[in-house]
Amino acid sequence: MLNLLQEMGKRGLGVFERLGRGCILFYNIIMGLHTLIPRFGLVVYQVYSVGVLSLIIIVVSGLFVGMVLGLQGYNTLVDFGAEESLGIVVALALVRELGPVVTALLFAGRAGSALTAEIGLMKATEQLSAMEMMAIDPIRRVMAPRFLAGFIAMPLLAAIFSAVGVIGGYFVAVGLVGVDEGAFWSQMQDAVDLYDDIYNGVIKSVVFGVVVTWIAIFEGSDAIPTSEGVSRATTRTVVHSALAVLGLDFVLTALMFGEI
Amino acid sequence: MTDDILVKTRDLCFKRGERVIFDGVDIDIRRGSVTGIMGPSGTGKTTLLRLIGGQLFPDQGTVHVDGENVHELNHGQLYQLRQRMGMLFQNGALLTDLNVYDNVAFPLREHTNLSESLIHKLVLMKLEAVGLRGARDLMPTELSGGMARRVALARAIALDPMMIMYDEPFTGQDPISMGVLVRLIRLLNDALGLTSIIVSHDIQETLSIADEIYLLSGGKVVARGSTDELNASKSEWAQQFLKGQPDGPVPFHYSAVDYADDLLNGHPGRAQSRV
Amino acid sequence: MNTRIVEIWVGIFIAAGSAALFMLAMKVSNLATYTDDEGYVVTAKFEDASGLKVRSPVAMAGVRLGRVTDIKFDNQSLEAVVTMRIESQYNTLPKDTSASIYTAGLLGEKYVGLEPGGDEASLQNGDRIKLTQSSMVLEKLIGQFVSKFLNEDSSDKK
């Protein structure tokens, strides 16, 4: 019993310790961002590895999610004779929720885990230490560009996901089940608001991008420098990112659309 | 440059958790010399280099490098100082996504505003010094361990530092690359006017090039002196270490309860392996 | 990886992302019909503005002229004060235009419908539309319908 309490206490302290370290790292990264201004090339390269390399999975998933939304929405709406509103269903679901959330989950799996593994391996092979000894701050040279790249790439990926999803929904609605094309677009445009829906969706994706990238970088830099430690850190990145994204999504949705 | 001592530690104490790594270590490293720091595995030789480099903080005591107390410098000053220190990590620690040329050019590009053509000349010069000018387009994964270390050495001298710290430079090398490294360390030290610190437990190689040697054990300096002085040392421990005898002041057995007691009373061990 | 290829791909990526954002804004949302800062403001008091929301459309003859920008409660008259912004190109609405709250379709969203009067002068910034008719709440509608029948019945008998 006492052992159990002790163990729980230890775990609890460990969680706070990691949270604290994570926050310090976050602060240091933010403070290091200004050093990237004259060297934006570093960021471009990282945008390639977190953004461009995630494009395929985002586009394919977005297309299928949009098509599924179109089919499911149609099956429900047709009972009420409201299949003209299919555009609204597809667009609102994508722009408000699925775009940012699913993109963030895929982003965590594709780019986040790669980031953790990369930084973890750099730590395990003493590359980070070596940089420090060369008087090059790895936070500024390695982590800040990756962080900024995640910050830039995530909203763009989410926008691509939503846009491709809407197109997928359009194919199903107009091409497959025969919803009137004009009604599809006009109903959508009437119901989707630029500020309420699109901007809030973009804000969500920015927040998710920051959080997922932060978790990925932190887990990498905090990994035990062995191959087992790095593989565990990679798993943790995906799990923690998914939990953080879904939890934050609730909070953000309540703040934005809740009107509480 | 009045002070003859480049690195000076006084009463250096360092603990990792409960384990005491250093317990009052005093080391002086003269400018221009090659100093070997030797001791059995686990005596914290690498830790010592990290303390000198300011990556770790001591629990007690001071480290002065070139007259500056390493652990009282702020971030910027420490980084200024590190630009004048080179360190060679055990496995080279080359940046895996850059090729040999870019690895050597890396510190130059980070710290200077030199033109690419000048950097090109400098990099070739450094690579020539370690004999790997022809390997400039290889990636670190294509290099053998010894070559990786030589590239790392070229990188460490890229900024013309005042000192280089070698962390186990000879471990796991075949005799030829070992010989190459030994020669390189001495040659570079004398040619570039460096100060070298070699942390190692390879006795013959270290003894052959070091001007002065410190033997560490149990968190303390147990012996110091030149090769000849050490060989003539009366310290039993030093003799055991230098001659590689399996038993002596350092016991063959890890400390344990009496063998007979253990056999009679001990609990059968649980199966530990889960693989 | 060749630097140039990386740069080209990143360029494509940024362009695609921007295009997607642009498409979401123009094609999916109502930005294309957005003109928030132009135009003039008129107010109208309604007994009942239920169902009406900020940014609900304001239309005349089935064409959208502007949007509702604010809905408040007036303490004195105990009515809803609806502020709407009409696009400046529609500057010839007569002063005695009347406003009603309609429902698009049977269960659709509410909007403010304007009907022109005969006045020479036109509505200016800050004017109040005096003739208003409230939201059609379904129960009230049925009530009105029934009472109208009764009235017609009684007038016929006279």
Side-chain angles (χ1 to χ4, degrees):
Chain A
M1 187 62 203
L2 203 64
N3 273 341
L4 186 74
L5 278 177
Q6 215 174 11
E7 185 61 24
M8 278 168 63
K10 223 186 241 172
R11 286 273 170 93
L13 280 182
V15 168
F16 285 118
E17 190 192 342
R18 280 167 56 80
L19 189 63
R21 275 210 297 271
C23 289
I24 292 169
L25 180 74
F26 188 72
Y27 172 82
N28 284 332
I29 289 176
I30 298 288
M31 287 293 116
L33 284 181
H34 68 94
T35 54
L36 295 174
I37 297 167
R39 326 187 42 186
F40 209 71
L42 289 177
V43 183
V44 170
Y45 195 87
Q46 294 308 323
V47 169
Y48 178 82
S49 65
V50 299
V52 175
L53 295 182
S54 310
L55 258 183
I56 291 180
I57 186 171
I58 293 293
V59 168
V60 172
S61 321
L63 192 66
F64 281 113
V65 167
M67 285 161 64
V68 168
L69 276 176
L71 274 182
Q72 292 284 13
Y74 178 77
N75 286 339
T76 313
L77 289 173
V78 77
D79 291 344
F80 302 99
E83 65 268 26
E84 314 275 85
S85 306
L86 198 51
I88 305 180
V89 173
V90 172
L92 281 187
L94 279 170
V95 170
R96 283 185 171 186
E97 288 297 334
L98 294 177
V101 172
V102 177
T103 308
L105 295 179
L106 294 171
F107 184 72
R110 174 66 185 76
S113 58
L115 271 183
T116 305
E118 189 187 11
I119 293 177
L121 280 174
M122 287 181 90
K123 187 183 179 189
T125 53
E126 293 183 308
Q127 293 180 47
L128 296 184
S129 272
M131 274 194 199
E132 273 184 25
M133 286 308 299
M134 282 188 271
I136 296 156
D137 189 345
I139 290 181
R140 294 184 173 182
R141 181 60 175 71
V142 175
M143 298 176 196
R146 284 166 173 75
F147 179 81
L148 192 59
F151 174 84
I152 294 171
M154 180 54 208
L156 294 176
L157 288 172
I160 292 173
F161 185 94
S162 295
V164 171
V166 167
I167 294 169
Y170 168 83
F171 283 146
V172 168
V174 178
L176 210 63
V177 299
V179 173
D180 178 61
E181 182 175 349
F184 182 85
W185 290 115
S186 67
Q187 292 250 355
M188 186 191 293
Q189 286 176 6
D190 255 12
V192 179
D193 189 77
L194 183 70
Y195 289 97
D196 277 354
D197 301 317
I198 307 243
Y199 282 5
N200 280 339
V202 171
I203 289 171
K204 270 187 182 182
S205 59
V206 170
V207 173
F208 295 161
V210 167
V211 169
V212 171
T213 319
W214 173 35
I215 289 177
I217 292 175
F218 172 68
E219 289 293 354
S221 70
D222 204 51
I224 301 164
T226 61
S227 42
E228 195 197 1
V230 173
S231 80
R232 278 195 195 175
T234 311
T235 313
R236 270 206 305 272
T237 293
V238 177
V239 173
H240 290 183
S241 301
L243 291 178
V245 164
L246 295 173
L248 270 176
D249 183 48
F250 174 75
V251 174
L252 289 176
T253 307
L255 285 176
M256 289 167 175
F257 305 111
E259 294 178 18
I260 305 168
Chain B
M1 298 294 261
T2 50
D3 198 352
D4 189 37
I5 306 296
L6 184 64
V7 180
K8 182 160 77 178
T9 75
R10 283 293 172 267
D11 189 29
L12 194 64
C13 296
F14 184 79
K15 286 194 209 98
R16 186 160 273 161
E18 291 297 301
R19 215 158 71 88
V20 176
I21 309 272
F22 295 126
D23 182 15
V25 169
D26 297 345
I27 288 176
D28 295 310
I29 287 161
R30 276 183 296 112
R31 281 180 203 278
S33 70
V34 175
T35 305
I37 312 245
M38 302 175 72
S41 311
T43 39
K45 300 184 298 290
T46 306
T47 309
L48 181 68
L49 296 187
R50 286 179 189 262
L51 281 165
I52 294 173
Q55 286 185 312
L56 293 174
F57 279 79
D59 292 308
Q60 201 186 314
T62 56
V63 177
H64 283 86
V65 175
D66 202 20
E68 295 181 273
N69 184 336
V70 174
H71 299 98
E72 280 175 2
L73 299 175
N74 65 28
H75 189 268
Q77 291 167 327
L78 179 62
Y79 272 55
Q80 285 283 318
L81 180 64
R82 281 185 188 162
Q83 288 193 29
R84 297 189 285 146
M85 296 170 155
M87 179 149 169
L88 188 71
F89 284 81
Q90 209 162 5
N91 295 312
L94 296 176
L95 303 174
T96 38
D97 53 348
L98 300 179
N99 66 17
V100 166
Y101 178 90
D102 289 329
N103 257 293
V104 179
F106 184 74
L108 293 168
R109 289 184 178 142
E110 292 290 323
H111 288 305
T112 66
N113 290 321
L114 300 177
S115 67
E116 274 303 312
S117 66
L118 198 52
I119 286 180
H120 184 76
K121 290 196 183 85
L122 281 171
V123 170
L124 291 192
M125 204 167 90
K126 307 293 175 190
L127 281 175
E128 176 71 19
V130 297
L132 289 177
R133 193 162 44 82
R136 68 183 111 158
D137 292 325
L138 296 181
M139 294 304 283
T141 44
E142 298 169 299
L143 300 175
S144 72
M147 282 162 85
R149 269 175 228 191
R150 279 151 71 189
V151 173
L153 184 54
R155 186 178 68 177
I157 58 172
L159 287 173
D160 292 322
M162 59 183 177
M163 61 183 279
I164 297 193
M165 298 184 275
Y166 299 90
D167 186 4
E168 304 279 7
F170 310 121
T171 312
Q173 296 295 311
D174 63 72
I176 297 173
S177 31
M178 193 116 93
V180 169
L181 277 167
V182 168
R183 220 191 93 198
L184 262 181
I185 291 173
R186 187 74 236 185
L187 212 69
L188 286 176
N189 190 75
D190 298 344
L192 303 176
L194 297 168
T195 304
S196 307
I197 306 174
I198 304 171
V199 147
S200 177
H201 48 235
D202 292 284
I203 300 152
Q204 290 319 316
E205 289 70 26
T206 313
L207 288 184
S208 67
I209 49 169
D211 299 315
E212 188 168 30
I213 289 161
Y214 284 81
L215 287 185
L216 292 182
S217 176
K220 290 190 186 306
V221 176
V222 286
R224 65 175 279 194
S226 66
T227 309
D228 295 338
E229 284 165 6
L230 278 185
N231 280 331
S233 161
K234 295 198 171 57
S235 156
E236 273 186 58
W237 192 93
Q239 289 304 324
Q240 186 196 354
F241 184 79
L242 293 176
K243 300 204 170 105
Q245 291 156 346
D247 213 351
V250 180
F252 172 69
H253 292 287
Y254 192 80
S255 74
V257 294
D258 186 70
Y259 187 40
D261 285 351
D262 220 8
L263 285 177
L264 291 173
N265 306 329
H267 303 284
R270 278 179 301 149
Q272 285 285 324
S273 172
R274 284 183 292 170
V275 178
Chain C
M1 178 61 73
N2 191 332
T3 321
R4 192 154 160 264
I5 294 174
V6 168
E7 281 164 2
I8 290 171
W9 266 109
V10 170
I12 292 172
F13 172 63
I14 301 276
S18 310
L21 271 177
F22 186 73
M23 175 199 153
L24 289 179
M26 297 306 292
K27 188 84 183 166
V28 175
S29 87
N30 50 4
L31 177 70
T33 54
Y34 234 101
T35 41
D36 215 17
D37 297 327
E38 296 171 30
Y40 57 97
V41 172
V42 294
T43 59
K45 284 187 176 175
F46 292 95
E47 263 176 55
D48 189 345
S50 51
L52 201 64
K53 290 190 202 105
V54 171
R55 289 209 203 96
S56 290
V58 176
M60 181 181 276
V63 179
R64 204 180 59 74
L65 307 185
R67 285 187 182 273
V68 172
T69 56
D70 192 27
I71 301 172
K72 280 214 173 73
F73 182 70
D74 181 18
N75 266 325
Q76 261 88 52
S77 61
L78 306 180
E79 284 178 322
V81 181
V82 173
T83 311
M84 44 208 139
R85 188 180 289 277
I86 314 277
E87 287 171 31
S88 47
Q89 51 185 333
Y90 308 116
N91 53 4
T92 55
L93 307 181
K95 243 195 162 76
D96 57 349
T97 294
S98 65
S100 324
I101 298 177
Y102 291 120
T103 311
L106 191 59
L107 299 168
E109 63 171 337
K110 304 276 187 191
Y111 68 96
V112 178
L114 301 180
E115 269 131 69
D119 205 320
E120 297 274 295
S122 45
L123 278 173
Q124 300 298 316
N125 192 25
D127 278 358
R128 193 162 77 83
I129 296 175
K130 291 177 189 79
L131 286 170
T132 63
Q133 196 183 358
S134 298
S135 273
M136 297 292 179
V137 179
L138 214 53
E139 298 125 63
K140 279 193 188 171
L141 199 70
I142 294 167
Q144 273 178 2
F145 189 64
V146 171
S147 63
K148 198 177 169 193
F149 256 105
L150 290 178
N151 284 343
E152 277 178 6
D153 270 6
S154 54
S155 60
D156 280 352
K157 278 171 190 167
K158 272 177 192 173

